[in-house]
């Protein structure tokens, strides 16, 4: 069968019965393995090394001789892995992906941050590789971990791909760059313009623009004299600005911000944590830090549990200390804190308190600190018992702003608990009803009224409950309109403002582009694009505060992560 091992596309047309029988026996042995599923009319060479813990091949896909496969591979229909290709790690291929001979897809990375430890003894990291549909990857290509390759793209022979490939692009070189377009991108719409045509093309063009301008946006908000980021030029430094810079760089550049070595950013964020409380205090205008107040929670410090914790996580590190004020809190203390929140008058503030509590529990478990017995159960039990079965949310609407507080509060409370820990929210269909009713309020969604907080707090709950299929057409229609609006909020070389730019909002400082607005709107665009079904065209996926996947399981036994940067910037 040697000829078919190297030219498998001829097998089902030219092989004789004995050869076909032998191939089907091989596939039957593979299918008997846990996590293995071979589709119809596939071919797997006996001369390939197939050592996957999960292998799923769609119909008419093949693996040629000399190919080396490990890890998890999920491939669609008509995919080809040609001779001597190396496909290792967590890899997903869409339909009709052609991988040339001697090409390597390496969805893992060695760390080498500790010079006193031999590299092979240091841990591996893995973010995975995602390849879209109708993609041609030439021979002798190398694609590194964390890369997303967009639909209908082409990677020229010999390319070394270290960052995401836009949909429809032809890339080549080392490192790979866009050479031309197989499918021309749609121009990014001007601010205030509404996209009504090809959303996939529009979001791809937007993402290309954002990536090309990311370094300028970060540099605009960096103050070399202090070595600190500010949200916007002329403002004082904040803890959040440092973290937003890390998130933006991770989203668009897949590396730490270039303005300061990643190791220095890790050292700074960990140094800012108060060992006694585990909180990170607010910065003074001169860059020095306030000491956080004891107890649950210092209002000026509590969001830093989220942003500093996730910035460290993106940098491959973690807090040095548990969030002690949460680790020491009893179940009774947590219930008392929940009962004392202003659920009827300011549900957003109450949800913010829950978000911080849930995220602190997450970081503590990562450090091996489980907290006091029953404390986590008290948090989730209270939320389950107090969710309104009529609305699916916590709190009550107010005459002055309708459902705004309860929807925004639901986002914050569910993000830090159910979403972060991978648990189903109570009454998800009622949540959809409530959010859609809220989204019909022109005070919130009219283009001149939109801000990042209010649109994020619509997008995330609808994304979190999308599995129900409840009122799906209405959800997609809403998401499509909000996404079209969001793409028009971008300001060239400056990013997003917290509030959408609009003539009616001129003079409002919140419309000024900055790091907070840019970080939040980038996440909003991904959530809305995923609801519409075009997120793959963006080529990025949030991994920090607004990550769509769960960050923890409540029963998980957490290993202590490395305090140092994992891998090198790419």
């Amino acid at each position: 069968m040697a000829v078919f091992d190297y030219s498998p596309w001829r097998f089902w047309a030219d092989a004789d019965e004995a050869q076909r029988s032998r191939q089907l026996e091989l596939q039957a042995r593979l299918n008997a393995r846990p996590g293995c599923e071979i589709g119809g009319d596939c071919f797997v060479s006996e001369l390939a090394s197939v050592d996957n813990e999960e292998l799923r091949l769609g119909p008419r896909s093949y693996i040629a001789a000399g190919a080396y496969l490990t890890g998890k591979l999920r491939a669609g229909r008509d995919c080809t892995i040609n001779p001597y290709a190396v496909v290792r790690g967590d890899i997903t291929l869409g339909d009709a992906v052609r991988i040339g001979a001697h090409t390597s897809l390496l969805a893992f990375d060695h760390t080498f941050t500790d010079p006193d430890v031999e590299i092979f003894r240091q841990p591996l990291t893995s973010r995975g590789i995602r390849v879209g549909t109708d993609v041609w990857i030439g021979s002798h290509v190398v694609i590194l971990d964390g890369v997303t390759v967009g639909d209908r793209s082409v990677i020229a022979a010999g390319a070394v791909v270290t960052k995401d490939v836009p949909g429809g692009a032809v890339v080549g070189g080392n490192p790979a760059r866009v050479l031309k377009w197989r499918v021309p991108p749609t121009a990014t719409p001007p601010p205030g313009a509404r996209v009504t045509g090809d959303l996939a093309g529009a979001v791809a063009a937007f993402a290309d623009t954002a990536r090309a301008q990311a370094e300028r946006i970060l540099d605009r908000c960096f103050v070399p004299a202090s070595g600190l980021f500010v949200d916007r030029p002329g403002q004082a430094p904040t803890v959040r600005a440092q973290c937003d810079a890390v998130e933006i760089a991770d989203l668009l550049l897949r590396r730490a911000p270039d303005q300061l070595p990643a190791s220095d950013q890790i050292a700074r964020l960990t140094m800012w944590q108060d060992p006694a409380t585990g909180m990170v205090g607010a910065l003074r205008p001169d860059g020095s830090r306030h000491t956080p107040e004891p107890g649950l929670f210092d209002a000026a410090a509590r969001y830093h549990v989220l942003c500093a914790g996730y910035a460290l996580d993106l940098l491959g590190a973690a807090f040095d200390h548990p969030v002690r004020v949460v680790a020491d809190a009893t179940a009774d203390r947590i219930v008392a804190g929940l009962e004392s929140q202003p659920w009827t008058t300011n549900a957003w503030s109450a949800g913010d308190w829950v978000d911080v509590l849930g995220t602190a529990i997450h970081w503590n478990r990562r450090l091996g600190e489980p907290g006091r017995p029953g404390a986590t159960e008290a948090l989730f039990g209270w939320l389950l018992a107090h969710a309104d079965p009529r609305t699916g949310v916590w709190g009550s609407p107010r005459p002055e702003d309708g459902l705004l507080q309860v929807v925004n509060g639901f986002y914050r409370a569910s993000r830090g608990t159910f979403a972060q820990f991978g648990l189903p929210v109570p009454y998800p269909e009622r949540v959809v009803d409530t959010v859609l009713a809220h989204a019909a309020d022109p005070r919130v969604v009219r283009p001149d009224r939109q801000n990042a907080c209010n649109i994020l707090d619509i997008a995330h709950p609808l994304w979190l409950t999308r599995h129900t299929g409840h009122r799906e057409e209405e959800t997609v229609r809403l998401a499509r309109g909000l996404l079209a609006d969001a793409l028009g909020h971008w300001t060239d070389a400056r990013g997003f403002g917290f509030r959408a730019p609009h003539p009616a909002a001129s003079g409002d400082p919140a419309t000024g582009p900055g790091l907070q607005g840019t970080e939040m709107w980038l996440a909003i665009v991904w959530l809305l694009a995923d609801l519409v079904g075009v997120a793959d065209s963006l080529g990025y996926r949030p991994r920090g505060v607004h990550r769509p996947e769960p960050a923890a399981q409540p029963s998980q036994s957490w290993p202590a992560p490395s305090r140092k940067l994992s891998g090198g910037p790419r």
Side-chain angles (χ1 to χ4, degrees):
M1 236 190 320
V3 64
F4 299 124
D5 289 312
Y6 293 92
S7 302
W9 55 88
R10 296 170 49 188
F11 180 79
W12 291 106
D14 298 343
D16 60 32
E17 287 303 317
Q19 292 168 325
R20 292 187 180 209
S21 177
R22 186 170 169 178
Q23 173 63 201
L24 291 174
E25 288 175 4
L26 171 60
Q27 293 187 26
R29 292 195 298 273
L30 289 172
N31 277 325
R33 296 180 185 178
C36 188
E37 184 179 343
I38 310 295
D41 294 331
C42 287
F43 177 87
V44 179
S45 171
E46 294 176 334
L47 302 180
S49 177
V50 179
D51 192 24
N52 299 84
E53 58 189 270
E54 180 181 345
L55 175 64
R56 303 187 188 279
L57 297 181
R60 300 177 302 282
S61 294
Y62 61 75
I63 300 169
Y68 177 32
L69 282 66
T70 66
K72 299 179 180 180
L73 172 62
R74 295 169 291 274
R77 62 166 177 81
D78 298 300
C79 291
T80 65
I81 299 173
N82 274 300
Y84 303 106
V86 176
V87 180
R88 303 188 63 196
D90 187 348
I91 295 174
T92 300
L93 310 178
D95 295 331
V97 175
R98 320 300 273 191
I99 299 174
H102 299 278
T103 281
S104 295
L105 277 66
L106 304 173
F108 63 91
D109 221 342
H110 284 278
T111 57
F112 50 89
T113 53
D114 191 336
D116 298 323
V117 177
E118 294 167 317
I119 290 175
F120 81 95
R121 299 184 187 279
Q122 297 193 45
L124 297 175
T125 61
S126 178
R127 292 184 288 171
I129 293 172
R130 304 291 178 264
V131 180
T133 290
D134 187 21
V135 173
W136 179 19
I137 302 172
S139 296
H140 294 277
V141 167
V142 177
I143 301 178
L144 298 182
D145 185 37
V147 166
T148 296
V149 179
D151 295 343
R152 298 194 287 175
S153 57
V154 176
I155 302 177
V160 178
V161 184
T162 62
K163 61 182 181 180
D164 293 348
V165 176
V170 178
V171 304
N174 180 7
R177 60 184 178 82
V178 175
L179 303 176
K180 59 182 180 179
W181 294 92
R182 178 187 176 205
V183 179
T186 303
T188 303
R194 226 179 141 76
V195 179
T196 57
D198 175 19
L199 264 186
V203 299
F206 158 77
D208 288 345
T209 298
R211 274 187 287 270
Q213 298 177 3
E215 292 181 4
R216 279 185 286 169
I217 290 167
L218 292 168
D219 200 51
R220 170 179 178 261
C221 296
F222 184 68
V223 182
S226 64
L228 293 168
F229 287 96
V230 296
D231 182 65
R232 285 176 283 162
Q235 294 193 331
T238 62
V239 173
R240 178 164 187 165
Q242 319 315 306
C243 304
D244 286 336
V246 171
E247 296 247 11
I248 293 166
D250 183 78
L251 277 170
L252 298 179
L253 303 175
R254 306 305 288 265
R255 62 178 186 261
D258 295 334
Q259 286 75 15
L260 197 68
S263 57
D264 289 359
Q265 297 179 64
I266 293 170
R268 173 178 287 160
L269 290 171
T270 52
M271 178 188 67
W272 283 346
Q273 188 187 27
D274 174 42
T277 62
M279 302 289 286
V280 177
L283 297 184
R284 297 184 178 92
D286 64 0
S288 62
R289 180 183 57 83
H290 287 283
T291 300
E293 297 177 3
L296 301 175
F297 289 104
D298 179 347
R302 65 194 196 187
Y303 189 76
H304 303 156
V305 172
L306 278 65
C307 66
Y310 272 105
L312 285 167
D313 192 51
L314 292 173
L315 293 168
F319 284 129
D320 281 339
H321 311 282
V323 181
R324 183 54 57 190
V325 293
V326 172
D328 293 341
T330 64
D332 288 346
R333 173 68 184 88
I334 285 176
V335 169
L338 291 163
E339 296 283 359
S340 68
Q341 296 307 308
W343 294 102
T344 58
T345 59
N346 193 341
W348 179 89
S349 177
D352 172 67
W353 192 91
V354 171
D355 196 356
V356 176
L357 177 60
T359 305
I361 291 171
H362 164 54
W363 299 132
N364 287 353
R365 289 187 170 204
R366 287 277 296 270
L367 292 174
E369 171 54 76
R372 301 291 288 273
T376 301
E377 291 78 6
L379 168 61
F380 282 94
W382 191 96
L383 291 173
L384 286 167
H386 288 80
D388 188 335
R390 298 166 299 175
T391 64
V393 302
W394 300 279
S396 305
R398 308 187 310 180
E400 59 266 39
D401 52 18
L403 293 164
L404 178 66
Q405 284 288 327
V406 294
V407 169
N408 289 10
F410 175 85
Y411 161 67
R412 291 299 305 273
S414 64
R415 192 220 71 86
T417 55
F418 296 97
Q420 190 162 234
F421 285 81
L423 297 172
V425 296
Y427 315 115
E429 293 186 354
R430 300 293 76 76
V431 172
V432 175
D433 293 339
T434 299
V435 174
L436 290 178
H438 168 60
D441 187 339
R443 294 175 294 180
V444 176
V445 299
R446 208 169 67 191
D448 61 313
R449 300 288 185 89
Q450 293 177 12
N451 67 50
C453 181
N454 293 348
I455 304 304
L456 173 64
D457 297 357
I458 290 171
H460 188 272
L462 291 176
W463 189 90
L464 189 62
T465 56
R466 71 201 185 287
H467 63 281
T468 64
H470 182 58
R471 301 177 68 178
E472 181 178 8
E473 290 186 7
E474 294 169 80
T475 295
V476 170
R477 186 163 56 249
L478 170 66
R480 188 177 181 87
L482 291 176
L483 176 58
D485 287 339
L487 297 180
H489 298 338
W490 179 266
T491 300
D492 271 338
R494 299 170 70 195
F496 286 112
F498 177 79
R499 182 175 177 182
H502 193 276
S506 61
D508 184 346
T511 62
L515 298 182
Q516 179 183 349
T518 301
E519 186 274 326
M520 293 183 72
W521 279 107
L522 286 172
I524 292 165
V525 166
W526 188 91
L527 289 164
L528 294 171
D530 202 55
L531 284 169
V532 173
V534 297
D536 286 348
S537 298
L538 284 169
Y540 69 77
R541 185 182 187 93
R543 299 195 309 128
V545 173
H546 301 114
R547 59 179 293 143
E549 295 87 4
Q553 298 292 334
S555 60
Q556 187 169 348
S557 176
W558 294 97
S562 167
R563 298 287 199 277
K564 300 175 182 177
L565 179 68
S566 296
R570 284 208 293 268

